Amino acid sequence: MAKTTTNSAKKPAAKAATKPAAKAATKPAAKAATKPAAKAAAKASAKPAAKAAAKPAAKASAKSARKAKAKSAKKPALTLSMLKPSVNNMCVRVFARAAGLDHSETDVWGHTRSPEYMARNPAHLTPMIEDKGLPRGVLWESCAIMQYLANKHGLEKLYPKAPAKRAMIDSAMFYLIGTLYPYVARATYPVLNFPQYAGEVGHSDAHPDNKAEAQKAAIEAIAEPLEVFHSFFRNGKPFIGGKNPSIADIRLAATLEFLAAIDYALPQWAKEYMTAIEKKLGKAYAEPAADVRGYIAYVKSQAAA
């Protein structure tokens, strides 16, 4: 009996003793075993994850780099053929810059009557743009070019859509090319060494005194249309376009640049007006204007030599 009691007493005691020991032994062992295993597992899983994340990012950056390279290599959508000393050309050059249009410029001085140029432009005029959207691929006449590009790109700030406002812009431009500019051309072209138009006294074999008289009459006639721009088209506004310069303002300011060739005494409002336009448009105006001014300075230096 004593033996049986002793055996049965030992079994519970052994179980009770081994349970805490087993728990105590396995906890540190498990922790010690799982920490390096967890770290290794984390590293192993992190590497493929990092690679997987890096691949799309690398592909995206490479793709954007290729696109940027292709964009820079791509030809500008708009090509402008121009003559740097001309104010007719200057206004389109100013417009393209002010509008932020992606374009390239080609100086075609001395090439406007080449077979290649004449094949595209039988009128042999500048400025000329080449654009895929045009029925014949090309367009000349500065005002028409600015109107077309403003319409195409929705440049309402430079050429408003409202019929009444647009009509005033159109009227100012047509009055300029029909009335003011012919006076400016007659007054300045002889000094600038530009050929005058057929039918003009300056173009004929008339006596130099007659040519000088015609030039003087043109100079005197400039004051009247200038005042029309001041009192009617601006009418107290900073610009013809209102608070901001319009395509009519660009055309007028560029035209007035030529009057420096004959040292024309511009009225004070016109001086302030030109300064305000250049300030408002910044480099868009100053860069093309520098070419015109540089040519005028060169012509004057040659005359003085």
Side-chain angles (χ1 to χ4, degrees):
M1 291 293 292
K3 191 176 181 180
T4 307
T5 306
T6 305
N7 286 343
S8 60
K10 277 182 181 179
K11 280 181 182 178
K15 281 183 182 179
T18 53
K19 276 183 181 179
K23 281 184 181 179
T26 53
K27 276 185 180 178
K31 281 184 181 178
T34 53
K35 277 185 180 179
K39 283 184 181 179
K43 282 185 180 179
S45 62
K47 281 182 180 179
K51 283 184 180 179
K55 278 182 180 178
K59 280 184 180 179
S61 60
K63 193 176 181 181
S64 60
R66 284 196 299 271
K67 278 186 178 180
K69 192 176 180 181
K71 192 175 181 181
S72 63
K74 191 180 176 182
K75 288 184 180 179
L78 184 70
T79 301
L80 170 63
S81 295
M82 52 83 197
L83 304 177
K84 288 183 177 181
S86 165
V87 294
N88 297 325
N89 290 259
M90 174 187 157
C91 67
V92 175
R93 297 178 71 202
V94 170
F95 169 83
R97 286 164 170 75
L101 299 180
D102 180 26
H103 73 289
S104 64
E105 294 182 349
T106 303
D107 192 341
V108 291
W109 185 274
H111 299 285
T112 56
R113 288 188 180 270
S114 67
E116 183 186 2
Y117 194 87
M118 293 280 284
R120 291 175 294 160
N121 180 346
H124 54 80
L125 293 174
T126 60
M128 178 187 77
I129 62 166
E130 296 174 62
D131 190 65
K132 290 179 180 179
L134 294 163
R136 301 299 299 273
V138 300
L139 180 69
W140 59 86
E141 295 294 347
S142 60
C143 294
I145 289 171
M146 291 191 291
Q147 288 170 316
Y148 165 71
L149 292 173
N151 286 332
K152 180 178 179 179
H153 298 285
L155 304 170
E156 291 189 55
K157 192 175 180 180
L158 291 164
Y159 192 40
K161 276 188 177 180
K165 288 183 178 180
R166 176 167 286 197
M168 293 301 287
I169 301 298
D170 290 341
S171 179
M173 289 196 301
F174 299 157
Y175 180 64
L176 188 150
I177 61 177
T179 303
L180 176 61
Y181 193 76
Y183 292 154
V184 172
R186 288 170 197 157
T188 63
Y189 277 24
V191 177
L192 295 166
N193 299 319
F194 286 0
Q196 291 191 263
Y197 301 107
E200 296 279 353
V201 174
H203 180 75
S204 70
D205 294 328
H207 192 275
D209 290 347
N210 294 335
K211 292 183 179 181
E213 189 178 340
Q215 184 184 14
K216 183 183 176 184
I219 293 170
E220 290 172 354
I222 289 170
E224 183 178 281
L226 264 187
E227 179 55 30
V228 172
F229 279 103
H230 175 51
S231 61
F232 182 79
F233 289 113
R234 286 183 68 220
N235 190 27
K237 304 187 301 292
F239 307 106
I240 298 168
K243 292 181 180 179
N244 296 295
S246 66
I247 58 176
D249 291 290
I250 293 172
R251 189 68 185 85
L252 176 58
T255 297
L256 297 181
E257 290 283 349
F258 261 178
L259 292 177
I262 56 172
D263 296 320
Y264 184 85
L266 284 170
Q268 188 59 32
W269 74 263
K271 293 177 184 177
E272 292 170 359
Y273 170 76
M274 292 177 72
T275 301
I277 286 182
E278 184 163 1
K279 185 178 179 180
K280 195 80 172 179
L281 298 180
K283 287 183 180 180
Y285 186 92
E287 289 176 355
D291 289 326
V292 171
R293 293 166 186 170
Y295 180 75
I296 292 171
Y298 165 75
V299 168
K300 283 185 171 182
S301 69
Q302 292 297 104

